[in-house]
Amino acid sequence: MTVLELRATWFLLGLLLVFVLSNEPRFVWHLVAGLPWLIGCGLLLPARTAAAIANVSKRLLADRGVRVALLVLGILAVAVAQIFTVAGALTIVTSCLVLAGILAAVGRFTVLRTMIVGVTASSVTIALTLLVLELVLRTEGISTRLGFPSEIIAWEDRYDRLWEENVHRFRSHHEDVRKRSGVFRVLALGDSFTWGDKIADSDSTWPAILEERLALEVGAGRVEVISMAQRGYTTANEAELLQRLGWEFDPDMVVIQFFANDALPSFPNFRRVGGEWLCPQHGLVPVRFRTSLVQSSAVVALMERQYNALRSPEPCYLQFDRLYEESSSTWGEFQAAVGLIADSARSRHTPVLFVLFPFLAPGEWTADSHPLQPVHERVASVAEKEGFSLLDLAAHFATAGGDWQRWWATAYDSHPNGAAQQLVAAAIARSILENEILARPPQNHPGKP
């Protein structure tokens, strides 16, 4: 093998090492594989080239300014390894070394020195700017208003964690499938709007409030509203939960809360896709470099939010109507899920109340003008055909008047706040009372198929 062939082989080996180690987070393996390869590169260099690189390197290291710059760059490289990954930092360092080696090989001392000092100054300026911006964006006033990752993470500590005490992981005080004699039971199925996203106290969610309101009519301890809601669930997931567990509670009534994204593709065992299926979100940082620090960064979140807004300026909720197009598979899956709920409810002679929850879009809306009204009409026709009682909450929010954004849980999150939860509970309680469902004797047939 000639020297030229050996050099080419060594270069290809380096590319192979980069590929193999690209997803290896442990620094030691990069060191074990990379250091011998770099030493080999030095040995395979032509004598003239090696001498030129050695001469330029000696002059650079004799320069105090360059030594300081290299020290700062080393510190920045360690910071990059901590923030992103070791592989990311090594990729940057290796690229810089290759460029520096080429310049040194052709004797461009002045260019190389200027580049090292300039890159260092620019890197420090950018790093300090990003650090200050990150600290500013993480301040309570800004983070809680714009909903950056630190604020979202903090919310998990604000909840009362009631679901951790429930054997079924429901956000409910009720967990015993055995129903006490004379107790009227309501099952509440839904997604985060029923679960109570951004509602810290479980007793402030509409199922808990509904129980209090109904208890005023039938007496304390005579009614149970069991919230089986789960964040992110679709109507198909709710139908599966009702079949697997819900009927075991022997309910006297089932309330299904609907939101316009509930027809997203769903699969057995409560699997489903998220909203990104309709509105893809593009990250500026590759997945393999998205460490926990990157995920929690307010700067990254802000940049990616603006980037996605430029790519798709239309709000995501305006895409929901695509789920209900006649030719779409999602519309067929949704109708099948509604049919499954209806068939099982009919076999048990259990009434179902189908509650349509509107998107609380900023602005003043009427029941006929809110953005997703066509979706509500299409879904309502299916629910009514299956014999469900129907409650469209859009009319109640419209009657209350004002900008619908006042019902948001936070300045950045359109989930219903405490006042909206009260409105919803009042509307559902009124519907139940007007239909005289409470006047019926409680059911007691847990063994019915």
Side-chain angles (χ1 to χ4, degrees):
M1 179 180 289
T2 65
V3 174
L4 184 61
E5 291 173 334
L6 183 59
R7 289 170 182 162
T9 302
W10 199 253
F11 175 75
L12 292 175
L13 176 61
L15 292 179
L16 179 62
L17 287 176
V18 170
F19 175 77
V20 171
L21 296 174
S22 60
N23 292 316
E24 173 55 59
R26 289 169 294 186
F27 175 75
V28 63
W29 290 112
H30 293 269
L31 187 65
V32 168
L35 188 59
W37 184 82
L38 288 174
I39 294 174
C41 287
L43 295 175
L44 289 173
L45 285 173
R48 186 175 179 178
T49 301
I53 293 175
N55 180 52
V56 171
S57 300
K58 184 177 180 181
R59 293 178 63 189
L60 286 172
L61 293 176
D63 189 304
R64 182 177 179 182
V66 172
R67 292 201 303 273
V68 172
L70 291 175
L71 176 61
V72 172
L73 288 176
I75 294 173
L76 290 175
V78 173
V80 169
Q82 291 295 319
I83 296 172
F84 297 95
T85 61
V86 173
L90 287 179
T91 300
I92 295 173
V93 171
T94 302
S95 301
C96 292
L97 287 175
V98 169
L99 178 59
I102 293 173
L103 292 174
V106 296
R108 298 297 182 91
F109 167 77
T110 303
V111 173
L112 186 52
R113 183 189 183 283
T114 302
M115 184 186 75
I116 292 173
V117 175
V119 167
T120 302
S122 299
S123 299
V124 170
T125 301
I126 292 172
L128 290 176
T129 301
L130 291 176
L131 177 60
V132 171
L133 182 58
E134 181 73 30
L135 294 175
V136 170
L137 292 177
R138 281 176 177 261
T139 57
E140 185 176 354
I142 296 177
S143 184
T144 55
R145 179 164 183 79
L146 299 181
F148 288 129
S150 59
E151 163 69 5
I152 304 300
I153 294 170
W155 253 107
E156 290 303 313
D157 293 327
R158 296 172 189 161
Y159 293 119
D160 57 13
R161 319 299 294 183
L162 177 62
W163 64 89
E164 294 180 350
E165 302 171 11
N166 188 292
V167 67
H168 305 293
R169 310 297 289 182
F170 298 153
R171 199 176 184 189
S172 174
H173 293 287
H174 306 297
E175 60 183 4
D176 193 346
V177 296
R178 297 167 299 179
K179 184 169 66 175
R180 291 177 290 111
S181 177
V183 171
F184 185 88
R185 257 187 182 174
V186 178
L187 285 190
L189 290 162
D191 51 31
S192 55
F193 283 64
T194 296
W195 187 89
D197 206 312
K198 305 302 181 296
I199 300 294
D201 185 3
S202 297
D203 290 337
S204 296
T205 61
W206 72 255
I209 300 169
L210 176 63
E211 180 175 302
E212 293 179 1
R213 287 179 173 269
L214 296 180
L216 294 176
E217 300 295 326
V218 298
R222 296 289 304 281
V223 62
E224 295 177 350
V225 178
I226 304 172
S227 177
M228 302 178 71
Q230 299 292 335
R231 288 180 282 188
Y233 264 27
T234 64
T235 301
N237 297 148
E238 293 153 16
E240 183 178 358
L241 181 59
L242 181 62
Q243 301 305 311
R244 286 195 179 193
L245 180 60
W247 292 122
E248 295 296 321
F249 285 89
D250 194 22
D252 300 284
M253 182 181 187
V254 175
V255 178
I256 305 291
Q257 170 259 308
F258 166 84
F259 185 65
N261 64 356
D262 282 353
L264 283 166
S266 307
F267 313 96
N269 296 320
F270 308 111
R271 292 178 296 125
R272 69 276 182 191
V273 302
E276 66 276 0
W277 187 80
L278 273 178
C279 308
Q281 298 296 297
H282 301 272
L284 296 177
V285 179
V287 175
R288 62 185 173 187
F289 297 141
R290 297 186 75 86
T291 61
S292 59
L293 287 174
V294 175
Q295 290 286 77
S296 63
S297 170
V299 172
V300 173
L302 178 63
M303 293 174 62
E304 292 185 340
R305 189 178 297 178
Q306 296 304 313
Y307 172 67
N308 283 291
L310 290 174
R311 286 180 56 92
S312 180
E314 187 178 68
C316 185
Y317 68 85
L318 294 180
Q319 300 289 328
F320 290 163
D321 58 352
R322 291 167 45 197
L323 299 170
Y324 303 91
E325 295 174 351
E326 190 66 41
S327 59
S328 67
S329 60
T330 53
W331 176 235
E333 291 173 2
F334 175 79
Q335 292 183 87
V338 172
L340 179 60
I341 294 171
D343 290 342
S344 59
R346 275 192 293 267
S347 71
R348 294 168 172 80
H349 306 288
T350 304
V352 176
L353 176 62
F354 202 80
V355 179
L356 292 91
F357 212 118
F359 176 73
L360 301 172
E364 296 186 29
W365 305 98
T366 68
D368 297 323
S369 70
H370 71 92
L372 297 175
Q373 188 263 349
V375 171
H376 280 212
E377 288 185 353
R378 190 169 182 79
V379 169
S381 65
V382 172
E384 289 179 328
K385 188 182 299 182
E386 293 290 358
F388 296 164
S389 298
L390 196 67
L391 175 61
D392 193 338
L393 293 172
H396 294 268
F397 284 107
T399 300
D403 188 337
W404 282 20
Q405 192 168 1
R406 71 189 178 97
W407 302 107
W408 285 22
T410 68
Y412 59 87
D413 194 311
S414 61
H415 282 91
N417 60 18
Q421 298 280 340
Q422 290 280 355
L423 181 148
V424 172
I428 295 175
R430 190 178 306 118
S431 177
I432 292 174
L433 295 174
E434 288 176 352
N435 286 284
E436 298 183 340
I437 296 174
L438 284 176
R440 307 172 188 176
Q443 301 180 47
N444 194 11
H445 43 63
K448 189 176 179 62

